[in-house]
Amino acid sequence: MAKRQRKNNSGRGSTLIVAVVLTFIILGTVVYSVARQISSQMTQSAIDNLSESLGLLQGTIQAIMHKEAEFQKLIAQELSLLEDPEAFVLSYNTNKTMIKMSIIPAGETKGISSTGEVFSAEALDFSSGKKIDDLPLSGSYLNDMGTWAYTIACPVTQNGEQIATLYIEYIYDTLDEALPPKFYNNNATLYVMDARSQRFVLKPKGIGERVAGHINLQDFYNANRILEPDIQATVSESIQEGKHVMFYHHVRDKESLIYMWAVNDGALYLIGYVPIHSIQQEGKAVNQNIIFVVAVMLAAFLICCILFFLNQRLKNSIQREQEKERELHNQQLTEALQAAQIASNSKTMFLSNMSHDIRTPMNAILGFTTLLAKDADNPVKVREYTKKITASGQHLLGLINDVLDVSKIESGKAVLTLGEFTLDSMISSIDAIIRPMAKGKNQKFDVTVSHINHERLIGDETRMNQILINLLSNSVKYTPEGGHIWLRIIGLDQRSSQFEHFKIEVEDNGYGMTPEYLPVIFDAFTRAENSTTNKVQGTGLGMAITKNIVELMGGTIHVTSEVNKGTLFTVELELRIPDHTADGQFWQEKGITRILAVDDESYILDNIRMLMRDTGVITDTCTNGEEALGQIRQARKKGYTYDVILMDWNMPGMDGIETARQIRAEVADGVSILFLTACDWDEIKEKAESIGVDGFLAKPFFVSALKEKLVELHSGGSSAKSPAENIPNTVLEGRHFLVAEDNEINSEILLELFDMEGASCTVAENGRLAVEAFSASSPGTFDAILMDVQMPIMNGYDATREIRALSREDAASIPVIAMTANAFAEDVKDALDAGMNDHIAKPIDIEIIKRILSKYL
């Protein structure tokens, strides 16, 4: 009976299930059909509303432009009645809508602007044939303020004859104020595009939120994954014909309606998209109400059915959840195990590398310390041992700095210290470090600079040096003796007039890298290990640090390599150009108006002309010695001379030596002849000076280097000394310093170093004692205060603030120098903010202390 009962119950349950399923299928079909019909109708209605909204926007923009055209016609009529239209233009005050008013008399190509500048319409593009109220409309362009603008041309007629053309420049930003503050509840995006160039000229502030602004139509395609050729072709054809375009497409995983609405016969386009769910909100609301009513009607019936199966389904659900949890737990355990194994392997590899690399210099330090104690009475060996201990200590400090640097960068705490610098100074400092390294391995090191528009830039010169030194020192390390290393700085097309766009190439013909290592070269703690390179020491952080710095500057870095053929690193950057104008006063003071450059490499001559173009100096060029002589003689016949002659000394045909000898015979003694060459000046100096060559400039050419050389020549040949050479050896002699240092060993070392320089110190073990020692001293007792930062009781920052707050006269003027192991850029800033004058990073270097203190003593 029980078995039969269970069978009957099962049969009734199955029948009930079938009935419920059929009921819900029928009801669902009806509800779905009604909902779809309503949604379709609502969507079409919303599209119609969108079209009306776009039409209103179109009308608003066209009305504004028509008003501008009508106003311009009125001004043209007024100009036709004036005897001096140009004076009216010069005196006219433009506004935030009309940026610039210009007029060109009939029959002439240039006129005058309201800004007082000479105006020419050659840069304006009216070829599209677009008009506003029969007035020609130019293509969109970036004006002098960096804002997208357009110009309308209007004839000025008098007695039926055109006497001039009036040009007025308008900016697109003024359209923003006329557009509505919201568009589809800020769910829609909107851009204004110039149809001819397909550049986005306006992004209204109050309409929609965008992840990022788009530059042009292709960028809009790429950003929103509209990559179908047929769609792009249809859109392009419609834009050419000035037609409206609407189509559906997925944008950021949402089905959206993309619209491109023609304005002013297709001169401009309103471009954007609105998610379908925003369009269908009204239809969804109706469908939700229908579903709610149906749900209420079936609620009782559905609850009864659910209760009947609830117990069984609950058990099944619990069982399935438990199985899923077990599967998820097992998967998480497997992933955690794999991550732990990878982390353990990376940790083991890094610790193994660091153990080897740290123990090597430590072994040298401890070994030579033992030898130093043994041979303490032998001054020659003592100097030799201390020199090697210092070198090993510097190497160990470099390893530690690498680890600290990458930790700082990856934690997001690294900052750039922006300042103005020249490519010449940067390349000179890099060359001074890398060239001796390359010479030590008999390697050839070439540096070239081409197509650079501005040599003075704004950026973090220290970080730039770090990038180049990391890349170039790696090339030296991983290139065998007799190899070749190239550093190339190549100017690229500027994306903005305010930024210099360039790339840096570091190439070598060394060992190269395997394809397996290339994908992980920029990962931290990785090194390429093979039979030819496994003796190269390091943390494996150089490339990781380089990549992070490049990305911190907003640039990119790429590498290509082939085993036994070499490696090429490419860094692409954009750095800001300083706002100041070129210094023409220097050339006027030196009486330099014209120079001649001679080189058989055309790109070098192009680079010289490009860099000299803003100096006001006329720059002539030629490619060989014979041509140079002919040009000098021709110049003399025309009544002018060259003030400076730059020439390569290694040229085909007549070489630089012979060319210089003959040129010196042709020109006056006051003309400066300089060799511009990549060769070592010492190799040719004696021969060059014997024929009247005045000096030498190292390639690549820079204006700043030429100015420095001319200053040297005009001052009698004495070049300025470096800051280090200007520091006298007795800068510390007889001085007395207050030192705040809590480490006894550091204090002892500092006392000995100062004693060697003839100076004395008073040591305070913490900041509080330093404040008390200074307060108790009479004015002039201490020449300066060297302040540690991390100390017990009171740190160096608080101690400095208390000293500066004292009422005595010298409290505000006494030099306070931070001397600490906190060596990052923000640590320097914190020291200066606390009232300190300067910052010295530990470990202590007496030469650095002398150089810093010499600025204040």
Side-chain angles (χ1 to χ4, degrees), residues 354 356-359 361 394-404 537-539 541:
M354 285 300 295
H356 172 269
D357 293 343
I358 289 177
R359 286 176 184 273
Q394 292 293 341
H395 177 59
L396 181 60
L397 181 61
L399 298 177
I400 295 172
N401 283 340
D402 274 354
V403 176
L404 295 178
Q537 297 182 2
T539 58
L541 300 175

mmCIF file of all heavy atoms in Angstrom, residues 354 356-359 361 394-404 537-539 541:
data_model
loop_
_atom_site.group_PDB
_atom_site.id
_atom_site.type_symbol
_atom_site.label_atom_id
_atom_site.label_comp_id
_atom_site.label_asym_id
_atom_site.label_seq_id
_atom_site.Cartn_x
_atom_site.Cartn_y
_atom_site.Cartn_z
ATOM 1 N N MET A 354 70.201 37.820 -4.351
ATOM 2 C CA MET A 354 70.634 38.880 -3.444
ATOM 3 C C MET A 354 71.698 38.377 -2.467
ATOM 4 O O MET A 354 72.625 39.112 -2.123
ATOM 5 C CB MET A 354 69.428 39.428 -2.668
ATOM 6 C CG MET A 354 68.520 40.319 -3.513
ATOM 7 S SD MET A 354 69.382 41.765 -4.183
ATOM 8 C CE MET A 354 69.754 42.622 -2.667
ATOM 9 N N HIS A 356 73.928 36.130 -3.048
ATOM 10 C CA HIS A 356 75.196 36.086 -3.771
ATOM 11 C C HIS A 356 75.738 37.496 -3.994
ATOM 12 O O HIS A 356 76.913 37.790 -3.737
ATOM 13 C CB HIS A 356 74.994 35.365 -5.108
ATOM 14 C CG HIS A 356 76.194 35.438 -6.015
ATOM 15 N ND1 HIS A 356 76.340 36.456 -6.933
ATOM 16 C CD2 HIS A 356 77.285 34.658 -6.117
ATOM 17 C CE1 HIS A 356 77.480 36.287 -7.578
ATOM 18 N NE2 HIS A 356 78.073 35.201 -7.113
ATOM 19 N N ASP A 357 74.833 38.409 -4.456
ATOM 20 C CA ASP A 357 75.292 39.735 -4.846
ATOM 21 C C ASP A 357 75.665 40.595 -3.642
ATOM 22 O O ASP A 357 76.531 41.464 -3.746
ATOM 23 C CB ASP A 357 74.206 40.440 -5.676
ATOM 24 C CG ASP A 357 74.004 39.763 -7.024
ATOM 25 O OD1 ASP A 357 74.895 38.995 -7.424
ATOM 26 O OD2 ASP A 357 72.954 39.996 -7.661
ATOM 27 N N ILE A 358 74.977 40.385 -2.498
ATOM 28 C CA ILE A 358 75.324 41.154 -1.297
ATOM 29 C C ILE A 358 76.576 40.597 -0.640
ATOM 30 O O ILE A 358 77.443 41.328 -0.164
ATOM 31 C CB ILE A 358 74.141 41.170 -0.311
ATOM 32 C CG1 ILE A 358 73.018 42.045 -0.875
ATOM 33 C CG2 ILE A 358 74.570 41.695 1.058
ATOM 34 C CD1 ILE A 358 71.776 42.068 -0.012
ATOM 35 N N ARG A 359 76.695 39.251 -0.625
ATOM 36 C CA ARG A 359 77.857 38.639 0.020
ATOM 37 C C ARG A 359 79.160 38.969 -0.716
ATOM 38 O O ARG A 359 80.226 39.029 -0.105
ATOM 39 C CB ARG A 359 77.683 37.116 0.100
ATOM 40 C CG ARG A 359 76.679 36.684 1.148
ATOM 41 C CD ARG A 359 76.465 35.159 1.128
ATOM 42 N NE ARG A 359 75.426 34.785 2.065
ATOM 43 C CZ ARG A 359 75.630 34.537 3.356
ATOM 44 N NH1 ARG A 359 76.851 34.651 3.852
ATOM 45 N NH2 ARG A 359 74.641 34.204 4.150
ATOM 46 N N PRO A 361 80.237 41.933 -2.317
ATOM 47 C CA PRO A 361 80.896 43.142 -1.782
ATOM 48 C C PRO A 361 81.139 43.059 -0.273
ATOM 49 O O PRO A 361 82.129 43.615 0.227
ATOM 50 C CB PRO A 361 79.910 44.258 -2.128
ATOM 51 C CG PRO A 361 78.598 43.590 -2.320
ATOM 52 C CD PRO A 361 78.913 42.236 -2.862
ATOM 53 N N GLN A 394 80.161 51.172 -2.185
ATOM 54 C CA GLN A 394 79.308 51.850 -3.159
ATOM 55 C C GLN A 394 78.484 50.853 -3.949
ATOM 56 O O GLN A 394 77.307 51.086 -4.247
ATOM 57 C CB GLN A 394 80.172 52.701 -4.118
ATOM 58 C CG GLN A 394 80.838 53.901 -3.474
ATOM 59 C CD GLN A 394 79.843 54.955 -3.028
ATOM 60 O OE1 GLN A 394 78.709 54.973 -3.484
ATOM 61 N NE2 GLN A 394 80.262 55.809 -2.101
ATOM 62 N N HIS A 395 79.104 49.703 -4.305
ATOM 63 C CA HIS A 395 78.359 48.669 -5.025
ATOM 64 C C HIS A 395 77.234 48.116 -4.156
ATOM 65 O O HIS A 395 76.104 47.919 -4.622
ATOM 66 C CB HIS A 395 79.309 47.538 -5.439
ATOM 67 C CG HIS A 395 78.612 46.396 -6.130
ATOM 68 N ND1 HIS A 395 77.893 46.550 -7.284
ATOM 69 C CD2 HIS A 395 78.540 45.076 -5.812
ATOM 70 C CE1 HIS A 395 77.390 45.388 -7.653
ATOM 71 N NE2 HIS A 395 77.755 44.480 -6.773
ATOM 72 N N LEU A 396 77.521 47.869 -2.874
ATOM 73 C CA LEU A 396 76.505 47.376 -1.952
ATOM 74 C C LEU A 396 75.388 48.405 -1.790
ATOM 75 O O LEU A 396 74.200 48.053 -1.766
ATOM 76 C CB LEU A 396 77.150 47.066 -0.597
ATOM 77 C CG LEU A 396 76.228 46.508 0.498
ATOM 78 C CD1 LEU A 396 75.602 45.200 0.046
ATOM 79 C CD2 LEU A 396 77.014 46.299 1.780
ATOM 80 N N LEU A 397 75.734 49.692 -1.715
ATOM 81 C CA LEU A 397 74.730 50.750 -1.603
ATOM 82 C C LEU A 397 73.848 50.789 -2.847
ATOM 83 O O LEU A 397 72.635 51.010 -2.767
ATOM 84 C CB LEU A 397 75.424 52.098 -1.411
ATOM 85 C CG LEU A 397 74.499 53.321 -1.255
ATOM 86 C CD1 LEU A 397 73.617 53.167 -0.021
ATOM 87 C CD2 LEU A 397 75.316 54.598 -1.169
ATOM 88 N N GLY A 398 74.442 50.550 -4.019
ATOM 89 C CA GLY A 398 73.660 50.506 -5.247
ATOM 90 C C GLY A 398 72.625 49.392 -5.234
ATOM 91 O O GLY A 398 71.483 49.566 -5.673
ATOM 92 N N LEU A 399 73.023 48.201 -4.721
ATOM 93 C CA LEU A 399 72.072 47.091 -4.619
ATOM 94 C C LEU A 399 70.918 47.453 -3.688
ATOM 95 O O LEU A 399 69.746 47.197 -4.004
ATOM 96 C CB LEU A 399 72.784 45.833 -4.097
ATOM 97 C CG LEU A 399 73.909 45.264 -4.968
ATOM 98 C CD1 LEU A 399 74.563 44.080 -4.279
ATOM 99 C CD2 LEU A 399 73.379 44.831 -6.331
ATOM 100 N N ILE A 400 71.238 48.048 -2.552
ATOM 101 C CA ILE A 400 70.201 48.418 -1.586
ATOM 102 C C ILE A 400 69.289 49.489 -2.176
ATOM 103 O O ILE A 400 68.058 49.436 -2.038
ATOM 104 C CB ILE A 400 70.853 48.916 -0.280
ATOM 105 C CG1 ILE A 400 71.622 47.764 0.390
ATOM 106 C CG2 ILE A 400 69.805 49.480 0.676
ATOM 107 C CD1 ILE A 400 72.461 48.191 1.576
ATOM 108 N N ASN A 401 69.870 50.480 -2.872
ATOM 109 C CA ASN A 401 69.059 51.544 -3.475
ATOM 110 C C ASN A 401 68.094 50.991 -4.501
ATOM 111 O O ASN A 401 66.967 51.476 -4.632
ATOM 112 C CB ASN A 401 69.962 52.598 -4.120
ATOM 113 C CG ASN A 401 70.597 53.515 -3.094
ATOM 114 O OD1 ASN A 401 70.115 53.614 -1.978
ATOM 115 N ND2 ASN A 401 71.687 54.156 -3.459
ATOM 116 N N ASP A 402 68.529 49.981 -5.283
ATOM 117 C CA ASP A 402 67.638 49.359 -6.256
ATOM 118 C C ASP A 402 66.413 48.767 -5.583
ATOM 119 O O ASP A 402 65.274 48.943 -6.033
ATOM 120 C CB ASP A 402 68.376 48.258 -7.035
ATOM 121 C CG ASP A 402 69.130 48.819 -8.227
ATOM 122 O OD1 ASP A 402 68.970 50.022 -8.494
ATOM 123 O OD2 ASP A 402 69.866 48.060 -8.875
ATOM 124 N N VAL A 403 66.618 48.028 -4.499
ATOM 125 C CA VAL A 403 65.505 47.397 -3.791
ATOM 126 C C VAL A 403 64.567 48.464 -3.219
ATOM 127 O O VAL A 403 63.346 48.377 -3.333
ATOM 128 C CB VAL A 403 66.024 46.470 -2.671
ATOM 129 C CG1 VAL A 403 64.856 45.900 -1.874
ATOM 130 C CG2 VAL A 403 66.853 45.344 -3.255
ATOM 131 N N LEU A 404 65.134 49.518 -2.604
ATOM 132 C CA LEU A 404 64.316 50.585 -2.029
ATOM 133 C C LEU A 404 63.574 51.342 -3.114
ATOM 134 O O LEU A 404 62.411 51.721 -2.957
ATOM 135 C CB LEU A 404 65.194 51.536 -1.223
ATOM 136 C CG LEU A 404 65.859 50.946 0.025
ATOM 137 C CD1 LEU A 404 66.742 51.986 0.685
ATOM 138 C CD2 LEU A 404 64.825 50.434 1.009
ATOM 139 N N GLN A 537 76.458 40.724 -12.143
ATOM 140 C CA GLN A 537 75.767 40.829 -10.866
ATOM 141 C C GLN A 537 74.715 41.928 -10.912
ATOM 142 O O GLN A 537 74.763 42.832 -11.726
ATOM 143 C CB GLN A 537 76.769 41.133 -9.751
ATOM 144 C CG GLN A 537 77.798 40.023 -9.554
ATOM 145 C CD GLN A 537 78.729 40.344 -8.403
ATOM 146 O OE1 GLN A 537 78.584 41.355 -7.743
ATOM 147 N NE2 GLN A 537 79.679 39.463 -8.177
ATOM 148 N N GLY A 538 73.763 41.851 -10.001
ATOM 149 C CA GLY A 538 72.726 42.865 -9.878
ATOM 150 C C GLY A 538 71.483 42.282 -9.250
ATOM 151 O O GLY A 538 71.351 41.069 -9.118
ATOM 152 N N THR A 539 70.564 43.180 -8.882
ATOM 153 C CA THR A 539 69.343 42.722 -8.225
ATOM 154 C C THR A 539 68.319 42.195 -9.216
ATOM 155 O O THR A 539 67.361 41.549 -8.829
ATOM 156 C CB THR A 539 68.698 43.903 -7.479
ATOM 157 O OG1 THR A 539 68.447 44.944 -8.420
ATOM 158 C CG2 THR A 539 69.597 44.415 -6.383
ATOM 159 N N LEU A 541 66.531 44.357 -10.863
ATOM 160 C CA LEU A 541 65.479 45.354 -10.720
ATOM 161 C C LEU A 541 65.611 46.504 -11.708
ATOM 162 O O LEU A 541 64.716 47.334 -11.806
ATOM 163 C CB LEU A 541 65.484 45.922 -9.292
ATOM 164 C CG LEU A 541 65.249 44.921 -8.163
ATOM 165 C CD1 LEU A 541 65.409 45.617 -6.824
ATOM 166 C CD2 LEU A 541 63.877 44.303 -8.264
#
